[in-house]
Amino acid sequence: EHRPGLSRARNRALAAAADDEVLAFVDDDAVVAEGWWNALQRGWEEASPEVACVGGPIRARFQATPPPWFSDGIAPALTLLDRGPDVRDLDPSVEAVYGANISFRAGTLRRVGGFDPAFGHAGARAYFGEENQAQLALARLGHRIRYVPDAAVWHVIPPERMRRGSFVRRRFAFGVSLG
């Protein structure tokens, strides 16, 4: 994709996929855990046709010791996710899976318009919410969002992401995108 933006890049992949295929997305700063592919594949094989999105945990791989003020309460600002030890369906208006470790049925995602380019990172712009918007659109059509705990990735967290200013900027950008 020659235009900047995560949503545009994902939509390019969606355009190249057949309706019966599954697209899996992992962030460029994430490393899949051992067994990720098999767990994701098993999650889709066990899913009914109503399941349109499957995602898994996103665990931290810190490149430096976190500061003492870091807590589980602010971990989602680092795109970390743990929805528990069980496979379960989620209500994306309450809790969703995150784009660092997410997959979709291509045909179903295409029917809701894919990813809105108004959301998502684009060049130097940190922006959020394109995966959430897609999950909400799928749920409105009666599709289900599933969490598969064995399909995990490690999110590499560099030291500069552990500074207070980084948290403030990312949370501000997240709030703007929610607005």
Side-chain angles (χ1 to χ4, degrees), residues 48-144:
S48 68
E50 293 81 27
V51 174
C53 175
V54 172
I58 305 166
R59 300 180 178 130
R61 181 176 285 173
F62 295 105
Q63 292 184 323
T65 303
W69 50 263
F70 179 75
S71 68
D72 289 345
I74 61 173
L78 297 173
T79 317
L80 304 181
L81 178 73
D82 183 350
R83 301 274 185 233
D86 300 317
V87 172
R88 63 187 182 94
D89 291 344
L90 305 174
D91 175 352
S93 68
V94 177
E95 58 183 358
V97 291
Y98 296 169
N101 184 15
I102 198 166
S103 59
F104 295 90
R105 291 188 197 276
T108 309
L109 181 60
R110 188 175 290 111
R111 282 191 286 284
V112 298
F115 300 101
D116 186 343
F119 292 93
H121 301 315
R125 180 189 79 171
Y127 217 59
F128 302 89
E130 72 277 10
E131 306 96 351
N132 297 59
Q133 293 301 316
Q135 291 174 69
L136 289 167
L138 291 165
R140 282 192 295 273
L141 292 181
H143 295 286
R144 298 190 341 233

Side-chain angles (χ1 to χ4, degrees), residues 1 113 153 165 178:
E1 173 60 46
V153 302
L178 286 178

Side-chain angles (χ1 to χ4, degrees), residues 2-15:
H2 65 280
R3 296 170 298 166
L6 183 55
S7 292
R8 287 188 174 105
R10 288 179 172 168
N11 285 336
R12 175 63 60 104
L14 178 60

